Amino acid sequence: MSSYQTIEVKTTQDIEFIDITAQVRDFVRASKCGSGILLVYTPHTTAAVTINENADPAVPCDIGEFFRHRVPRQDYFRHSEGNSPAHILSTLAGASEALIVENGEPLLGAWQAIFFCEFDGPRQRRVFLKIVPG
Amino acid sequence: MSSYQTIEVKTTQDIEFIDITAQVRDFVRASKCGSGILLVYTPHTTAAVTINENADPAVPCDIGEFFRHRVPRQDYFRHSEGNSPAHILSTLAGASEALIVENGEPLLGAWQAIFFCEFDGPRQRRVFLKIVPG
Amino acid sequence: MSSYQTIEVKTTQDIEFIDITAQVRDFVRASKCGSGILLVYTPHTTAAVTINENADPAVPCDIGEFFRHRVPRQDYFRHSEGNSPAHILSTLAGASEALIVENGEPLLGAWQAIFFCEFDGPRQRRVFLKIVPG
């Protein structure tokens, strides 16, 4: 019945969208919070959290391919690790998503899924979940 | 005096920014919540919510035109519905915006308006509003 | 012990990322809120808030340079002030970031810092901070 939890995500590709909807839903149910706001937050600077469609797995693939093509390395980048595109994508997609909780469930549209976005994998990653009631 | 409400938005173009500030403000006032955090959330995967200027209606038009030009269809897209650009824009602009409520009003800057962003219209759309007090 | 505060930010360049992590952390500690959700929100339409790495200051510089190159002025822009790129970047990076508060501290990853993003400077700017407990 905690309002805070960490989940682990293992990525296998450089750019990858991993559906974490089931884990988020389990957390909301276990929290026994009937109504509030839920925050899904990643503490990494080369990753993100987004909400999009997963009914057709081609959707997250197309998003990832577009990001790969449109945010490539640039001669003017100075960050020595060479992963500035991943940092840029982290800012564009955002470190978190907030959701509404009603009747003990996260409110998601019919086609919405919650994704952890890997932009500099493969790596072992974490996502923090938190609910405030209201 | 509910902390949760759905509003309906009807869009008429493929890419369109619709100002929903008045509806959001009405919801906050009706909620009688003096202080808290407000979430403006869309349950659609080819739409978004953003905050930007509406004093000059050319601003949201320029944003929409830029998105149309810079996120076009690609030969490598595999999603069969053909609307992958709309899904990408949904992730870039984000499914929600959070705002501060103080003294019973949403805190908006002098030039800020809250927009529902249509990326695959025209359609009938929904936006969920939720406040948690604090 | 207030749950709401404004901080002032002075920018010196057209595009600039300013680390406000220390001010945000001070606010959270002063609020005496042990657990909740924190919102870091800017009321400007040509600015944003983002979370990214600041261990190497080249990271925010690379992000800013990429934005400058990839979101330039376009012949088709109609907004008379000429700063449509700044409005677009505001929507892409987002007006706010939400964070989790646990044990009286904002939960940040080892490399994460909170940045005010200037896209149309130099200007005097504001950031609003708000916590809801839970």
Side-chain angles (χ1 to χ4, degrees):
Chain A
M1 307 211 332
S2 170
S3 73
Y4 169 60
Q5 187 182 311
T6 299
I7 60 177
E8 301 280 333
V9 180
K10 187 169 179 47
T11 64
T12 61
Q13 301 171 50
D14 57 340
I15 293 182
E16 184 178 5
F17 287 57
I18 293 181
D19 189 333
I20 57 171
T21 311
Q23 291 103 305
V24 173
R25 201 182 300 271
D26 286 349
F27 164 73
V28 172
R29 289 173 181 171
S31 78
K32 307 287 187 196
C33 174
S35 168
I37 287 180
L38 161 70
L39 189 64
V40 182
Y41 181 94
T42 186
H44 307 290
T45 58
T46 53
V49 176
T50 197
I51 293 170
N52 219 300
E53 179 187 329
N54 204 19
D56 178 1
V59 170
C61 288
D62 287 358
I63 300 171
E65 277 305 293
F66 187 83
F67 283 173
R68 187 192 311 275
H69 281 79
R70 292 302 179 103
V71 187
R73 296 190 184 186
Q74 304 291 327
D75 288 342
Y76 55 77
F77 285 163
R78 297 186 302 146
H79 179 43
S80 57
E81 289 187 63
N83 60 354
S84 289
H87 287 288
I88 292 165
L89 290 170
S90 180
T91 278
L92 288 174
S96 71
E97 289 289 344
L99 291 106
I100 297 167
V101 174
E102 282 291 313
N103 298 318
E105 297 279 344
L107 281 187
L108 285 165
W111 307 107
Q112 284 184 322
I114 306 164
F115 291 94
F116 173 82
C117 310
E118 174 64 81
F119 296 130
D120 193 33
R123 297 202 197 205
Q124 185 70 31
R125 300 291 207 172
R126 287 180 302 158
V127 176
F128 300 155
L129 308 177
K130 174 79 177 177
I131 295 181
V132 288
Chain B
M1 305 209 334
S2 169
S3 73
Y4 169 60
Q5 188 182 310
T6 299
I7 61 177
E8 301 281 332
V9 180
K10 186 168 178 49
T11 64
T12 61
Q13 300 170 50
D14 58 340
I15 293 182
E16 185 177 6
F17 286 58
I18 293 182
D19 189 333
I20 57 171
T21 311
Q23 293 103 305
V24 173
R25 202 183 300 270
D26 287 348
F27 164 73
V28 172
R29 289 173 181 170
S31 77
K32 307 288 188 197
C33 174
S35 168
I37 288 179
L38 161 69
L39 189 64
V40 183
Y41 181 95
T42 186
H44 307 289
T45 57
T46 53
V49 176
T50 197
I51 293 170
N52 219 301
E53 179 187 328
N54 204 19
D56 178 1
V59 170
C61 288
D62 287 357
I63 300 171
E65 278 304 293
F66 187 83
F67 283 173
R68 188 192 310 276
H69 280 79
R70 292 303 178 101
V71 187
R73 294 192 185 186
Q74 304 293 325
D75 288 342
Y76 55 77
F77 285 162
R78 297 185 303 145
H79 180 42
S80 57
E81 288 185 63
N83 61 353
S84 290
H87 287 288
I88 292 165
L89 290 170
S90 180
T91 279
L92 289 174
S96 71
E97 289 288 346
L99 292 107
I100 296 168
V101 175
E102 281 290 313
N103 300 316
E105 296 279 346
L107 281 187
L108 284 165
W111 308 107
Q112 284 184 321
I114 306 163
F115 291 94
F116 173 83
C117 310
E118 174 63 80
F119 297 130
D120 193 33
R123 298 201 195 205
Q124 185 70 30
R125 300 291 207 171
R126 286 180 301 158
V127 175
F128 301 155
L129 308 176
K130 174 78 177 177
I131 296 183
V132 289
Chain C
M1 305 214 329
S2 170
S3 74
Y4 169 61
Q5 188 182 310
T6 299
I7 61 177
E8 300 281 333
V9 179
K10 187 170 177 48
T11 64
T12 61
Q13 300 171 51
D14 58 341
I15 293 183
E16 185 178 6
F17 286 57
I18 294 181
D19 189 333
I20 58 172
T21 311
Q23 292 101 306
V24 174
R25 201 183 299 270
D26 286 350
F27 164 74
V28 173
R29 288 173 181 170
S31 78
K32 307 287 188 197
C33 174
S35 167
I37 287 179
L38 162 69
L39 189 64
V40 182
Y41 181 95
T42 186
H44 307 289
T45 57
T46 54
V49 177
T50 197
I51 294 170
N52 220 300
E53 179 187 328
N54 205 19
D56 179 1
V59 170
C61 288
D62 287 357
I63 300 171
E65 278 305 293
F66 186 83
F67 284 173
R68 187 192 311 275
H69 281 77
R70 292 302 179 101
V71 187
R73 294 190 186 187
Q74 304 292 326
D75 288 342
Y76 55 78
F77 285 163
R78 297 185 303 145
H79 180 42
S80 57
E81 289 186 63
N83 60 354
S84 289
H87 287 289
I88 292 165
L89 290 170
S90 180
T91 278
L92 288 175
S96 71
E97 288 289 345
L99 292 105
I100 297 167
V101 174
E102 282 290 313
N103 299 316
E105 297 280 344
L107 281 186
L108 284 166
W111 308 107
Q112 283 184 323
I114 305 163
F115 292 94
F116 173 82
C117 310
E118 173 65 81
F119 297 130
D120 193 34
R123 297 202 196 205
Q124 185 70 31
R125 301 292 206 171
R126 286 181 302 156
V127 176
F128 301 156
L129 308 177
K130 175 78 177 177
I131 295 182
V132 288

